[in-house]
Amino acid sequence: MTEARGRGRPLSSHLRVYEPIEAFNPSERERIKAGLRGEGGRDELDAAETGAALGRIVSGAGDPFPSDGSEFTRALTVNGAVLYCPSQLVLRSGLAAESVINTAPRILAELMLPEEARERHQRRVDRIASETASPRINTRESLWGIPFSWFVLFQESDPTEVVEDGDHLRTVRIVAPWAKAIGRARFAVANLALAAPDMSMLDELTALTEWLEEFHPDSAVELDYGRVADRVFPDESCLDVRLGIECLAEGDLTGAAAAYRRLASRWIPIRQLARAS
C-alpha cells in the first residue's frame, strides 16, 4: 500500500533534526504532542503523510495548503532519550509557496496557488511564527537525489536502518549525533575554504552549518533516503564525499576527481529523472 501511494511522485529525500522536548516552547510542545500518531511506527506515519499530501493535490477545493490538523511528529530514541522532529508542514509549505511565487511564471503560480488560499495560509503561518521568536525549520527536503553536502554530516560507522518492502528498499535512514554532524561540517568547511574556495559545495556547507547551529546540542541528525534508496543502496557516497574533500585538502586533484566521478556515476542518472517524460 505504501509503495502504491508513492508511485508517480518525485523521489524525495529528507534531512531532519530531532530535538529533546525542552528545546521547544509550550506552543510547540502542544503541536508535537498532537502530531504523534499512536503506535504505528515510522512507516505508518510516512504513509499517512504521503496520503495526506496526495489528498490535497487531488482535492477539488482549490487549496493545496495543509491545515493545522495536517501536522505530524516523528520520534527517535537515541541513547535512551526520546527526540522529536515536527513536520512543520504549515511553515514549510509557506516557504515553498513563496519560492514558487518568486520563480514561476505569474500565470502558473496563480493557477497552482490561488490568491485566496495563499492569504488564508499566510494567516496560519503568521500565527505560528508569532508563537515562536525565531522558528526553526527541522526538515530539509530534496527531490531527485541527495545534495552531496548532506553526506558530509555522516560516516559509515553511524547507525543505519535499512527498511525493506519485499524485494525493494523503502528507505535507508542514517543517524548522527548533532555534535558529530556539525563537527564534520565545520571540518569540511575549513578544508574547502583553503583548498577550493570557489567550489559550490563550500557555500552549501556553510549554509548547512549555519542551519545546524540553530538546534539544541543534544539533538540528532537523520538522513532519510526515501525511495531513492532502492536505486543507489548499498551507497558509499558518505565515504566518497569525505575522500574527495580530504584529497582536495592534500592537493591530490587526481584522487578528488576520482571521488567525484564515483559520485556522479551514482547520482547524475537519478537527477536526470527529473527531466524525463
mmCIF file with all atom_site columns, all heavy atoms in Angstrom, residues 30-52:
data_model
loop_
_atom_site.group_PDB
_atom_site.id
_atom_site.type_symbol
_atom_site.label_atom_id
_atom_site.label_alt_id
_atom_site.label_comp_id
_atom_site.label_asym_id
_atom_site.label_entity_id
_atom_site.label_seq_id
_atom_site.pdbx_PDB_ins_code
_atom_site.Cartn_x
_atom_site.Cartn_y
_atom_site.Cartn_z
_atom_site.occupancy
_atom_site.B_iso_or_equiv
_atom_site.pdbx_formal_charge
_atom_site.auth_seq_id
_atom_site.auth_comp_id
_atom_site.auth_asym_id
_atom_site.auth_atom_id
_atom_site.pdbx_PDB_model_num
ATOM 1   N N   . GLU A 1 30 ? 2.768  21.490 22.381 1.00 0.00 ? 30 GLU A N   1
ATOM 2   C CA  . GLU A 1 30 ? 1.384  21.069 22.145 1.00 0.00 ? 30 GLU A CA  1
ATOM 3   C C   . GLU A 1 30 ? 1.214  20.530 20.738 1.00 0.00 ? 30 GLU A C   1
ATOM 4   O O   . GLU A 1 30 ? 0.546  19.518 20.516 1.00 0.00 ? 30 GLU A O   1
ATOM 5   C CB  . GLU A 1 30 ? 0.430  22.250 22.389 1.00 0.00 ? 30 GLU A CB  1
ATOM 6   C CG  . GLU A 1 30 ? 0.256  22.621 23.855 1.00 0.00 ? 30 GLU A CG  1
ATOM 7   C CD  . GLU A 1 30 ? -0.339 21.476 24.656 1.00 0.00 ? 30 GLU A CD  1
ATOM 8   O OE1 . GLU A 1 30 ? -1.279 20.817 24.157 1.00 0.00 ? 30 GLU A OE1 1
ATOM 9   O OE2 . GLU A 1 30 ? 0.149  21.224 25.779 1.00 0.00 ? 30 GLU A OE2 1
ATOM 10  N N   . ARG A 1 31 ? 1.831  21.197 19.765 1.00 0.00 ? 31 ARG A N   1
ATOM 11  C CA  . ARG A 1 31 ? 1.737  20.726 18.384 1.00 0.00 ? 31 ARG A CA  1
ATOM 12  C C   . ARG A 1 31 ? 2.468  19.394 18.215 1.00 0.00 ? 31 ARG A C   1
ATOM 13  O O   . ARG A 1 31 ? 2.028  18.520 17.465 1.00 0.00 ? 31 ARG A O   1
ATOM 14  C CB  . ARG A 1 31 ? 2.300  21.776 17.422 1.00 0.00 ? 31 ARG A CB  1
ATOM 15  C CG  . ARG A 1 31 ? 1.356  22.935 17.171 1.00 0.00 ? 31 ARG A CG  1
ATOM 16  C CD  . ARG A 1 31 ? 1.803  23.770 15.976 1.00 0.00 ? 31 ARG A CD  1
ATOM 17  N NE  . ARG A 1 31 ? 3.032  24.497 16.263 1.00 0.00 ? 31 ARG A NE  1
ATOM 18  C CZ  . ARG A 1 31 ? 3.085  25.694 16.826 1.00 0.00 ? 31 ARG A CZ  1
ATOM 19  N NH1 . ARG A 1 31 ? 1.965  26.300 17.182 1.00 0.00 ? 31 ARG A NH1 1
ATOM 20  N NH2 . ARG A 1 31 ? 4.230  26.296 17.036 1.00 0.00 ? 31 ARG A NH2 1
ATOM 21  N N   . ILE A 1 32 ? 3.594  19.248 18.904 1.00 0.00 ? 32 ILE A N   1
ATOM 22  C CA  . ILE A 1 32 ? 4.334  17.994 18.835 1.00 0.00 ? 32 ILE A CA  1
ATOM 23  C C   . ILE A 1 32 ? 3.486  16.857 19.387 1.00 0.00 ? 32 ILE A C   1
ATOM 24  O O   . ILE A 1 32 ? 3.392  15.771 18.792 1.00 0.00 ? 32 ILE A O   1
ATOM 25  C CB  . ILE A 1 32 ? 5.664  18.121 19.613 1.00 0.00 ? 32 ILE A CB  1
ATOM 26  C CG1 . ILE A 1 32 ? 6.653  18.951 18.797 1.00 0.00 ? 32 ILE A CG1 1
ATOM 27  C CG2 . ILE A 1 32 ? 6.255  16.749 19.930 1.00 0.00 ? 32 ILE A CG2 1
ATOM 28  C CD1 . ILE A 1 32 ? 7.917  19.295 19.538 1.00 0.00 ? 32 ILE A CD1 1
ATOM 29  N N   . LYS A 1 33 ? 2.869  17.071 20.533 1.00 0.00 ? 33 LYS A N   1
ATOM 30  C CA  . LYS A 1 33 ? 2.019  16.051 21.145 1.00 0.00 ? 33 LYS A CA  1
ATOM 31  C C   . LYS A 1 33 ? 0.855  15.694 20.224 1.00 0.00 ? 33 LYS A C   1
ATOM 32  O O   . LYS A 1 33 ? 0.519  14.510 20.046 1.00 0.00 ? 33 LYS A O   1
ATOM 33  C CB  . LYS A 1 33 ? 1.499  16.557 22.488 1.00 0.00 ? 33 LYS A CB  1
ATOM 34  C CG  . LYS A 1 33 ? 0.635  15.560 23.235 1.00 0.00 ? 33 LYS A CG  1
ATOM 35  C CD  . LYS A 1 33 ? 0.178  16.128 24.579 1.00 0.00 ? 33 LYS A CD  1
ATOM 36  C CE  . LYS A 1 33 ? -0.718 15.144 25.312 1.00 0.00 ? 33 LYS A CE  1
ATOM 37  N NZ  . LYS A 1 33 ? -1.173 15.685 26.623 1.00 0.00 ? 33 LYS A NZ  1
ATOM 38  N N   . ALA A 1 34 ? 0.228  16.710 19.629 1.00 0.00 ? 34 ALA A N   1
ATOM 39  C CA  . ALA A 1 34 ? -0.914 16.463 18.747 1.00 0.00 ? 34 ALA A CA  1
ATOM 40  C C   . ALA A 1 34 ? -0.495 15.740 17.471 1.00 0.00 ? 34 ALA A C   1
ATOM 41  O O   . ALA A 1 34 ? -1.296 15.035 16.859 1.00 0.00 ? 34 ALA A O   1
ATOM 42  C CB  . ALA A 1 34 ? -1.587 17.789 18.396 1.00 0.00 ? 34 ALA A CB  1
ATOM 43  N N   . GLY A 1 35 ? 0.758  15.905 17.070 1.00 0.00 ? 35 GLY A N   1
ATOM 44  C CA  . GLY A 1 35 ? 1.224  15.317 15.823 1.00 0.00 ? 35 GLY A CA  1
ATOM 45  C C   . GLY A 1 35 ? 1.689  13.885 15.930 1.00 0.00 ? 35 GLY A C   1
ATOM 46  O O   . GLY A 1 35 ? 1.960  13.234 14.912 1.00 0.00 ? 35 GLY A O   1
ATOM 47  N N   . LEU A 1 36 ? 1.812  13.357 17.163 1.00 0.00 ? 36 LEU A N   1
ATOM 48  C CA  . LEU A 1 36 ? 2.191  11.963 17.326 1.00 0.00 ? 36 LEU A CA  1
ATOM 49  C C   . LEU A 1 36 ? 1.053  11.063 16.868 1.00 0.00 ? 36 LEU A C   1
ATOM 50  O O   . LEU A 1 36 ? -0.103 11.310 17.186 1.00 0.00 ? 36 LEU A O   1
ATOM 51  C CB  . LEU A 1 36 ? 2.543  11.680 18.786 1.00 0.00 ? 36 LEU A CB  1
ATOM 52  C CG  . LEU A 1 36 ? 3.828  12.353 19.290 1.00 0.00 ? 36 LEU A CG  1
ATOM 53  C CD1 . LEU A 1 36 ? 3.945  12.199 20.796 1.00 0.00 ? 36 LEU A CD1 1
ATOM 54  C CD2 . LEU A 1 36 ? 5.056  11.763 18.595 1.00 0.00 ? 36 LEU A CD2 1
ATOM 55  N N   . ARG A 1 37 ? 1.362  9.991  16.141 1.00 0.00 ? 37 ARG A N   1
ATOM 56  C CA  . ARG A 1 37 ? 0.330  9.160  15.529 1.00 0.00 ? 37 ARG A CA  1
ATOM 57  C C   . ARG A 1 37 ? 0.320  7.750  16.110 1.00 0.00 ? 37 ARG A C   1
ATOM 58  O O   . ARG A 1 37 ? 0.624  6.776  15.444 1.00 0.00 ? 37 ARG A O   1
ATOM 59  C CB  . ARG A 1 37 ? 0.532  9.088  14.006 1.00 0.00 ? 37 ARG A CB  1
ATOM 60  C CG  . ARG A 1 37 ? 0.298  10.411 13.281 1.00 0.00 ? 37 ARG A CG  1
ATOM 61  C CD  . ARG A 1 37 ? -1.162 10.835 13.369 1.00 0.00 ? 37 ARG A CD  1
ATOM 62  N NE  . ARG A 1 37 ? -1.488 11.909 12.449 1.00 0.00 ? 37 ARG A NE  1
ATOM 63  C CZ  . ARG A 1 37 ? -1.475 13.189 12.751 1.00 0.00 ? 37 ARG A CZ  1
ATOM 64  N NH1 . ARG A 1 37 ? -1.120 13.578 13.957 1.00 0.00 ? 37 ARG A NH1 1
ATOM 65  N NH2 . ARG A 1 37 ? -1.815 14.101 11.855 1.00 0.00 ? 37 ARG A NH2 1
ATOM 66  N N   . GLY A 1 38 ? 0.051  7.635  17.398 1.00 0.00 ? 38 GLY A N   1
ATOM 67  C CA  . GLY A 1 38 ? -0.143 6.322  18.005 1.00 0.00 ? 38 GLY A CA  1
ATOM 68  C C   . GLY A 1 38 ? 1.082  5.444  17.943 1.00 0.00 ? 38 GLY A C   1
ATOM 69  O O   . GLY A 1 38 ? 2.206  5.900  17.985 1.00 0.00 ? 38 GLY A O   1
ATOM 70  N N   . GLU A 1 39 ? 0.858  4.137  17.805 1.00 0.00 ? 39 GLU A N   1
ATOM 71  C CA  . GLU A 1 39 ? 1.937  3.158  17.879 1.00 0.00 ? 39 GLU A CA  1
ATOM 72  C C   . GLU A 1 39 ? 2.267  2.551  16.518 1.00 0.00 ? 39 GLU A C   1
ATOM 73  O O   . GLU A 1 39 ? 2.891  1.506  16.440 1.00 0.00 ? 39 GLU A O   1
ATOM 74  C CB  . GLU A 1 39 ? 1.545  2.033  18.857 1.00 0.00 ? 39 GLU A CB  1
ATOM 75  C CG  . GLU A 1 39 ? 1.213  2.518  20.263 1.00 0.00 ? 39 GLU A CG  1
ATOM 76  C CD  . GLU A 1 39 ? 2.402  3.163  20.950 1.00 0.00 ? 39 GLU A CD  1
ATOM 77  O OE1 . GLU A 1 39 ? 3.542  2.745  20.680 1.00 0.00 ? 39 GLU A OE1 1
ATOM 78  O OE2 . GLU A 1 39 ? 2.181  4.094  21.758 1.00 0.00 ? 39 GLU A OE2 1
ATOM 79  N N   . GLY A 1 40 ? 1.841  3.184  15.448 1.00 0.00 ? 40 GLY A N   1
ATOM 80  C CA  . GLY A 1 40 ? 2.034  2.581  14.131 1.00 0.00 ? 40 GLY A CA  1
ATOM 81  C C   . GLY A 1 40 ? 3.458  2.581  13.631 1.00 0.00 ? 40 GLY A C   1
ATOM 82  O O   . GLY A 1 40 ? 3.800  1.849  12.715 1.00 0.00 ? 40 GLY A O   1
ATOM 83  N N   . GLY A 1 41 ? 4.322  3.409  14.215 1.00 0.00 ? 41 GLY A N   1
ATOM 84  C CA  . GLY A 1 41 ? 5.713  3.435  13.798 1.00 0.00 ? 41 GLY A CA  1
ATOM 85  C C   . GLY A 1 41 ? 5.955  4.372  12.633 1.00 0.00 ? 41 GLY A C   1
ATOM 86  O O   . GLY A 1 41 ? 5.035  4.975  12.066 1.00 0.00 ? 41 GLY A O   1
ATOM 87  N N   . ARG A 1 42 ? 7.233  4.482  12.267 1.00 0.00 ? 42 ARG A N   1
ATOM 88  C CA  . ARG A 1 42 ? 7.636  5.422  11.237 1.00 0.00 ? 42 ARG A CA  1
ATOM 89  C C   . ARG A 1 42 ? 7.013  5.121  9.881  1.00 0.00 ? 42 ARG A C   1
ATOM 90  O O   . ARG A 1 42 ? 6.623  6.031  9.147  1.00 0.00 ? 42 ARG A O   1
ATOM 91  C CB  . ARG A 1 42 ? 9.158  5.409  11.126 1.00 0.00 ? 42 ARG A CB  1
ATOM 92  C CG  . ARG A 1 42 ? 9.888  6.127  12.253 1.00 0.00 ? 42 ARG A CG  1
ATOM 93  C CD  . ARG A 1 42 ? 9.748  7.640  12.113 1.00 0.00 ? 42 ARG A CD  1
ATOM 94  N NE  . ARG A 1 42 ? 10.254 8.101  10.850 1.00 0.00 ? 42 ARG A NE  1
ATOM 95  C CZ  . ARG A 1 42 ? 11.537 8.438  10.640 1.00 0.00 ? 42 ARG A CZ  1
ATOM 96  N NH1 . ARG A 1 42 ? 12.415 8.349  11.626 1.00 0.00 ? 42 ARG A NH1 1
ATOM 97  N NH2 . ARG A 1 42 ? 11.927 8.863  9.461  1.00 0.00 ? 42 ARG A NH2 1
ATOM 98  N N   . ASP A 1 43 ? 6.948  3.849  9.509  1.00 0.00 ? 43 ASP A N   1
ATOM 99  C CA  . ASP A 1 43 ? 6.435  3.501  8.184  1.00 0.00 ? 43 ASP A CA  1
ATOM 100 C C   . ASP A 1 43 ? 4.974  3.925  8.031  1.00 0.00 ? 43 ASP A C   1
ATOM 101 O O   . ASP A 1 43 ? 4.574  4.453  6.984  1.00 0.00 ? 43 ASP A O   1
ATOM 102 C CB  . ASP A 1 43 ? 6.572  2.005  7.935  1.00 0.00 ? 43 ASP A CB  1
ATOM 103 C CG  . ASP A 1 43 ? 8.034  1.563  7.905  1.00 0.00 ? 43 ASP A CG  1
ATOM 104 O OD1 . ASP A 1 43 ? 8.888  2.425  7.639  1.00 0.00 ? 43 ASP A OD1 1
ATOM 105 O OD2 . ASP A 1 43 ? 8.305  0.380  8.156  1.00 0.00 ? 43 ASP A OD2 1
ATOM 106 N N   . GLU A 1 44 ? 4.187  3.697  9.079  1.00 0.00 ? 44 GLU A N   1
ATOM 107 C CA  . GLU A 1 44 ? 2.774  4.089  9.015  1.00 0.00 ? 44 GLU A CA  1
ATOM 108 C C   . GLU A 1 44 ? 2.641  5.604  8.966  1.00 0.00 ? 44 GLU A C   1
ATOM 109 O O   . GLU A 1 44 ? 1.794  6.148  8.256  1.00 0.00 ? 44 GLU A O   1
ATOM 110 C CB  . GLU A 1 44 ? 2.026  3.532  10.220 1.00 0.00 ? 44 GLU A CB  1
ATOM 111 C CG  . GLU A 1 44 ? 0.528  3.810  10.186 1.00 0.00 ? 44 GLU A CG  1
ATOM 112 C CD  . GLU A 1 44 ? -0.206 3.110  11.314 1.00 0.00 ? 44 GLU A CD  1
ATOM 113 O OE1 . GLU A 1 44 ? 0.008  1.890  11.481 1.00 0.00 ? 44 GLU A OE1 1
ATOM 114 O OE2 . GLU A 1 44 ? -0.975 3.783  12.020 1.00 0.00 ? 44 GLU A OE2 1
ATOM 115 N N   . LEU A 1 45 ? 3.509  6.302  9.717  1.00 0.00 ? 45 LEU A N   1
ATOM 116 C CA  . LEU A 1 45 ? 3.462  7.763  9.701  1.00 0.00 ? 45 LEU A CA  1
ATOM 117 C C   . LEU A 1 45 ? 3.830  8.295  8.320  1.00 0.00 ? 45 LEU A C   1
ATOM 118 O O   . LEU A 1 45 ? 3.186  9.214  7.800  1.00 0.00 ? 45 LEU A O   1
ATOM 119 C CB  . LEU A 1 45 ? 4.417  8.310  10.763 1.00 0.00 ? 45 LEU A CB  1
ATOM 120 C CG  . LEU A 1 45 ? 4.339  9.816  11.056 1.00 0.00 ? 45 LEU A CG  1
ATOM 121 C CD1 . LEU A 1 45 ? 4.781  10.087 12.488 1.00 0.00 ? 45 LEU A CD1 1
ATOM 122 C CD2 . LEU A 1 45 ? 5.216  10.619 10.104 1.00 0.00 ? 45 LEU A CD2 1
ATOM 123 N N   . ASP A 1 46 ? 4.890  7.729  7.711  1.00 0.00 ? 46 ASP A N   1
ATOM 124 C CA  . ASP A 1 46 ? 5.283  8.163  6.365  1.00 0.00 ? 46 ASP A CA  1
ATOM 125 C C   . ASP A 1 46 ? 4.148  7.962  5.376  1.00 0.00 ? 46 ASP A C   1
ATOM 126 O O   . ASP A 1 46 ? 3.885  8.809  4.508  1.00 0.00 ? 46 ASP A O   1
ATOM 127 C CB  . ASP A 1 46 ? 6.517  7.385  5.901  1.00 0.00 ? 46 ASP A CB  1
ATOM 128 C CG  . ASP A 1 46 ? 7.775  7.765  6.672  1.00 0.00 ? 46 ASP A CG  1
ATOM 129 O OD1 . ASP A 1 46 ? 7.767  8.815  7.345  1.00 0.00 ? 46 ASP A OD1 1
ATOM 130 O OD2 . ASP A 1 46 ? 8.759  7.009  6.598  1.00 0.00 ? 46 ASP A OD2 1
ATOM 131 N N   . ALA A 1 47 ? 3.450  6.817  5.498  1.00 0.00 ? 47 ALA A N   1
ATOM 132 C CA  . ALA A 1 47 ? 2.333  6.537  4.597  1.00 0.00 ? 47 ALA A CA  1
ATOM 133 C C   . ALA A 1 47 ? 1.198  7.523  4.816  1.00 0.00 ? 47 ALA A C   1
ATOM 134 O O   . ALA A 1 47 ? 0.575  8.001  3.856  1.00 0.00 ? 47 ALA A O   1
ATOM 135 C CB  . ALA A 1 47 ? 1.839  5.103  4.814  1.00 0.00 ? 47 ALA A CB  1
ATOM 136 N N   . ALA A 1 48 ? 0.916  7.855  6.077  1.00 0.00 ? 48 ALA A N   1
ATOM 137 C CA  . ALA A 1 48 ? -0.150 8.812  6.373  1.00 0.00 ? 48 ALA A CA  1
ATOM 138 C C   . ALA A 1 48 ? 0.184  10.192 5.827  1.00 0.00 ? 48 ALA A C   1
ATOM 139 O O   . ALA A 1 48 ? -0.680 10.887 5.273  1.00 0.00 ? 48 ALA A O   1
ATOM 140 C CB  . ALA A 1 48 ? -0.385 8.876  7.885  1.00 0.00 ? 48 ALA A CB  1
ATOM 141 N N   . GLU A 1 49 ? 1.436  10.597 5.963  1.00 0.00 ? 49 GLU A N   1
ATOM 142 C CA  . GLU A 1 49 ? 1.839  11.910 5.460  1.00 0.00 ? 49 GLU A CA  1
ATOM 143 C C   . GLU A 1 49 ? 1.752  11.963 3.939  1.00 0.00 ? 49 GLU A C   1
ATOM 144 O O   . GLU A 1 49 ? 1.294  12.953 3.355  1.00 0.00 ? 49 GLU A O   1
ATOM 145 C CB  . GLU A 1 49 ? 3.256  12.231 5.920  1.00 0.00 ? 49 GLU A CB  1
ATOM 146 C CG  . GLU A 1 49 ? 3.669  13.661 5.677  1.00 0.00 ? 49 GLU A CG  1
ATOM 147 C CD  . GLU A 1 49 ? 5.010  13.983 6.296  1.00 0.00 ? 49 GLU A CD  1
ATOM 148 O OE1 . GLU A 1 49 ? 5.986  13.263 5.992  1.00 0.00 ? 49 GLU A OE1 1
ATOM 149 O OE2 . GLU A 1 49 ? 5.087  14.932 7.093  1.00 0.00 ? 49 GLU A OE2 1
ATOM 150 N N   . THR A 1 50 ? 2.187  10.876 3.286  1.00 0.00 ? 50 THR A N   1
ATOM 151 C CA  . THR A 1 50 ? 2.094  10.808 1.829  1.00 0.00 ? 50 THR A CA  1
ATOM 152 C C   . THR A 1 50 ? 0.641  10.840 1.369  1.00 0.00 ? 50 THR A C   1
ATOM 153 O O   . THR A 1 50 ? 0.281  11.546 0.419  1.00 0.00 ? 50 THR A O   1
ATOM 154 C CB  . THR A 1 50 ? 2.770  9.529  1.310  1.00 0.00 ? 50 THR A CB  1
ATOM 155 O OG1 . THR A 1 50 ? 4.154  9.555  1.650  1.00 0.00 ? 50 THR A OG1 1
ATOM 156 C CG2 . THR A 1 50 ? 2.630  9.412  -0.200 1.00 0.00 ? 50 THR A CG2 1
ATOM 157 N N   . GLY A 1 51 ? -0.212 10.070 2.060  1.00 0.00 ? 51 GLY A N   1
ATOM 158 C CA  . GLY A 1 51 ? -1.631 10.047 1.699  1.00 0.00 ? 51 GLY A CA  1
ATOM 159 C C   . GLY A 1 51 ? -2.282 11.404 1.858  1.00 0.00 ? 51 GLY A C   1
ATOM 160 O O   . GLY A 1 51 ? -3.088 11.823 1.016  1.00 0.00 ? 51 GLY A O   1
ATOM 161 N N   . ALA A 1 52 ? -1.920 12.131 2.929  1.00 0.00 ? 52 ALA A N   1
ATOM 162 C CA  . ALA A 1 52 ? -2.484 13.460 3.147  1.00 0.00 ? 52 ALA A CA  1
ATOM 163 C C   . ALA A 1 52 ? -2.044 14.426 2.052  1.00 0.00 ? 52 ALA A C   1
ATOM 164 O O   . ALA A 1 52 ? -2.830 15.246 1.570  1.00 0.00 ? 52 ALA A O   1
ATOM 165 C CB  . ALA A 1 52 ? -2.070 13.987 4.523  1.00 0.00 ? 52 ALA A CB  1
#
